[in-house]
């Protein structure tokens, strides 16, 4: 009987675990982060205004939920090692700020470094970040962040860890286990600036795959290329993080559209990095394009794959979870306008699909070899393919 029961119990445990996991799929998070635009020059008034603007701009209605406070809030540590905050910048305290964010129906994110010192202390000369990293203070800092202050997201950087020559997996897994013991629903981001290794892919909610993003199309293309072969590590609730968005930070309209589209196609977290208080209509239009956002939040959780490269034109295909549907992105990396003619056989597609253009927001007919697209310099066409009834 024991020989029969053992495999039965194992089967039940496995199927139960799989069932429970399937009940709680997590799409990539959407929100805003302070680093790209403000670096360490942050304060509570500005953070509150970003939360207000996220609501008033229509971004909340489009699905954005997180307000993430990055480096720059630290005030060093006291004689007992307790983490302090910069009271001149955050006079009301970090709990009051989280409460304000939560009061807007949003979630609040916080930052630390796996080492002793923060990135801001090293690169932005923020002396109060010296000794403010989580190294040696895992339990107390996590209790502070999540039990006392009530934050919902943690980004863990690596500047201090790198300077100390720490072992990545050892340090990050120690922090992750501490966070999960407090609240398994905390969203955890490994900010190692390259794919960290397979140890992270089922432990963290997301992991950075590149150095810091810049507000240039060259930077955008470089990050896309780094992620092209990492699709096999992406799964429901665990994503390749291509860094915070640079939409509205100085690139052209077409470059911003391409940038945003590819972050959605490749299932990166969508964290706006601009000043939400001063957005153009074009920037709001891009960040709130629900047709394109739906690809990022799709319940199939599949990362797009590059299936064709012809000169400056690339075609990426993403399998969607809603029946037999796909998303197709046609990206022009070149410096000139390009015309692209569909070749269904080359793309592994067939004519049973109809097409919706997700930037024109309209149906554009049946998929066939006669269809061509004129794509501007650094521009993109994004299509949703669905079966004709």
């Amino acid at each position: 009987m024991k020989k029969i029961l053992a495999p039965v119990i194992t089967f039940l445990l496995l199927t139960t675990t799989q069932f429970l996991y399937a009940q709680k799929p997590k799409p990539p998070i959407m929100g805003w982060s302070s680093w790209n635009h403000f670096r360490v020059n942050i304060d509570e008034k500005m953070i509150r205004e970003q939360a207000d603007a996220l609501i008033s701009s229509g971004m909340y209605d489009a699905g954005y939920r997180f307000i993430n406070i990055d480096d720059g809030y630290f005030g060093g540590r006291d004689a007992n090692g307790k983490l302090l905050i910069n009271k001149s910048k955050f006079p009301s305290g970090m709990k009051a700020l989280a409460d304000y964010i939560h009061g807007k129906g949003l979630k609040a994110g916080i930052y630390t470094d796996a080492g002793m010192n923060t990135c801001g202390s090293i690169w932005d000369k923020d002396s109060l970040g010296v000794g403010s990293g989580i190294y040696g203070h895992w339990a107390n800092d996590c209790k502070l962040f999540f039990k006392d202050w009530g934050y919902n997201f943690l980004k863990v950087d690596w500047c201090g860890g790198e300077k100390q020559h720490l072992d990545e997996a050892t340090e990050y897994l120690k922090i992750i286990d501490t966070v999960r013991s407090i609240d398994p629903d905390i969203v955890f981001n490994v900010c190692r600036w390259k794919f960290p290794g397979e140890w992270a892919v089922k432990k963290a909610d997301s992991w950075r795959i590149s150095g810091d993003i810049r507000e240039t199309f060259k930077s955008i293309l470089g990050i896309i290329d780094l992620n092209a072969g990492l699709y096999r590590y992406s799964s429901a609730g665990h994503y390749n993080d291509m860094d915070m968005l640079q939409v509205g930070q100085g690139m052209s309209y077409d470059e911003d559209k391409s940038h945003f589209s590819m972050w959605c196609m490749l299932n990166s977290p969508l964290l706006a990095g601009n000043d939400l208080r001063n957005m153009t209509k074009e920037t709001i239009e891009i960040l709130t394009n629900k047709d394109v956002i739906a690809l990022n939040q799709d319940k199939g959780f599949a990362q797009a794959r590059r299936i064709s490269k012809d000169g400056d034109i690339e075609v990426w295909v993403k399998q969607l979870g809603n029946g037999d549907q796909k998303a197709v992105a046609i990206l022009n990396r070149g410096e000139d306008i390009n015309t692209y003619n569909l070749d269904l056989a080359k793309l592994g597609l067939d004519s049973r699909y109809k097409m919706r253009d997700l930037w024109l927001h309209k149906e554009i007919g049946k998929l066939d070899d006669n269809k061509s697209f004129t794509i501007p310099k650094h521009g993109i066409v994004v299509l949703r393919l669905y079966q004709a009834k």
Side-chain angles (χ1 to χ4, degrees):
M1 178 63 72
K2 288 182 179 179
K3 291 182 179 179
I4 297 173
L5 281 176
V8 170
I9 292 170
T10 300
F11 173 77
L12 288 172
L13 287 171
L14 286 172
T15 53
T16 302
T17 301
Q18 290 169 355
F19 175 75
L20 290 172
Y21 182 79
Q23 293 300 99
K24 297 178 66 177
K26 296 179 181 179
I29 69 167
M30 299 172 60
W32 174 87
S33 179
S34 59
W35 181 256
N36 280 3
H37 192 84
F38 298 96
R39 296 186 72 92
V40 298
N41 302 307
I42 61 175
D43 58 57
E44 70 177 48
K45 178 177 181 294
M46 181 274 290
I47 299 294
R48 290 178 184 234
E49 289 171 353
Q50 298 299 324
D52 295 344
L54 189 143
I55 305 290
S56 63
S57 66
M59 290 178 66
Y60 181 91
D61 291 338
Y64 294 85
R65 292 294 183 272
F66 283 81
I67 295 290
N68 290 349
I69 302 160
D70 211 287
D71 203 348
Y73 67 89
F74 299 102
R77 293 187 184 273
D78 68 14
N80 297 316
K82 181 181 179 181
L83 187 66
L84 305 174
I85 64 171
N86 188 326
K87 282 290 189 178
S88 66
K89 295 162 70 173
F90 294 87
S92 301
M94 301 306 284
K95 183 183 186 305
L97 186 52
D99 289 346
Y100 183 86
I101 293 168
H102 291 150
K104 296 281 181 179
L106 300 168
K107 296 184 178 182
I110 201 76
Y111 166 97
T112 191
D113 191 287
M116 293 174 61
N117 303 325
T118 72
C119 287
S121 73
I122 297 169
W123 299 108
D124 291 61
K125 310 304 180 186
D126 180 10
S127 62
L128 293 175
V130 174
S132 293
I134 202 170
Y135 184 77
H137 303 278
W138 307 282
N140 288 340
D141 283 7
C142 286
K143 176 181 179 295
L144 191 67
F145 295 152
F146 308 119
K147 286 189 174 181
D148 299 348
W149 293 350
Y151 281 77
N152 313 104
F153 167 96
L154 181 65
K155 170 184 170 181
V156 182
D157 227 329
W158 188 241
C159 294
E162 183 179 57
K163 294 290 185 183
Q164 290 173 250
H165 305 289
L166 300 176
D167 179 73
E168 301 162 36
T170 299
E171 298 308 317
Y172 276 109
L173 291 174
K174 191 184 304 178
I175 303 165
I176 291 172
D177 289 344
T178 305
V179 171
R180 299 293 187 226
S181 71
I182 294 172
D183 184 350
D185 290 327
I186 299 299
V187 179
F188 192 100
N189 175 258
V190 172
C191 186
R192 173 59 190 92
W193 331 308
K194 67 178 183 179
F195 177 68
E198 294 190 26
W199 61 265
V201 301
K202 293 300 180 186
K203 286 285 191 174
D205 296 276
S206 61
W207 47 87
R208 278 277 296 282
I209 62 160
S210 72
D212 282 4
I213 191 172
R214 305 299 179 194
E215 57 272 35
T216 68
F217 199 60
K218 179 180 179 181
S219 175
I220 302 306
L221 293 178
I223 294 171
I224 291 170
D225 289 341
L226 287 174
N227 202 7
L230 298 178
Y231 59 85
R232 61 188 178 277
Y233 300 116
S234 180
S235 65
H238 310 282
Y239 303 105
N240 294 303
D241 177 11
M242 299 166 75
D243 204 359
M244 296 161 283
L245 293 162
Q246 290 284 11
V247 175
Q249 293 272 82
M251 290 188 293
S252 73
Y253 175 60
D254 285 309
E255 289 169 344
D256 275 352
K257 286 202 305 181
S258 295
H259 168 27
F260 187 73
S261 298
M262 291 306 297
W263 263 233
C264 288
M265 288 285 290
L266 293 167
N267 280 16
S268 179
L270 299 180
L271 292 173
N274 57 313
D275 187 344
L276 304 184
R277 300 168 299 182
N278 303 299
M279 291 191 286
T280 66
K281 289 182 179 180
E282 285 184 343
T283 295
I284 295 173
E285 173 207 337
I286 292 169
L287 291 174
T288 60
N289 185 329
K290 293 182 181 180
D291 279 345
V292 177
I293 289 170
L295 307 182
N296 180 265
Q297 300 290 294
D298 179 72
K299 296 301 190 265
F301 306 107
Q303 180 173 312
R305 304 187 190 188
R306 181 164 52 196
I307 63 169
S308 173
K309 183 172 176 59
D310 185 6
D312 290 324
I313 298 293
E314 294 179 351
V315 180
W316 296 73
V317 175
K318 176 183 173 71
Q319 181 65 51
L320 301 179
N322 186 15
D324 187 13
Q325 297 192 24
K326 303 177 188 295
V328 175
I330 307 168
L331 175 66
N332 179 10
R333 299 173 67 117
E335 299 299 316
D336 300 302
I337 296 173
N338 261 297
T339 298
Y340 177 75
N341 300 303
L342 282 178
D343 183 336
L344 300 191
K346 184 176 181 180
L347 300 179
L349 300 172
D350 58 61
S351 59
R352 71 179 183 271
Y353 294 105
K354 284 187 175 180
M355 297 180 288
R356 177 176 176 82
D357 188 308
L358 302 189
W359 285 106
L360 296 178
H361 303 289
K362 68 178 185 180
E363 317 304 314
I364 58 171
K366 194 174 182 181
L367 185 66
D368 61 52
D369 286 322
N370 296 319
K371 188 66 177 176
S372 66
F373 300 91
T374 300
I375 310 173
K377 165 187 172 181
H378 298 171
I380 199 166
V381 170
V382 185
L383 308 171
R384 189 180 189 104
L385 308 185
Y386 59 98
Q387 285 199 60
K389 293 182 180 180

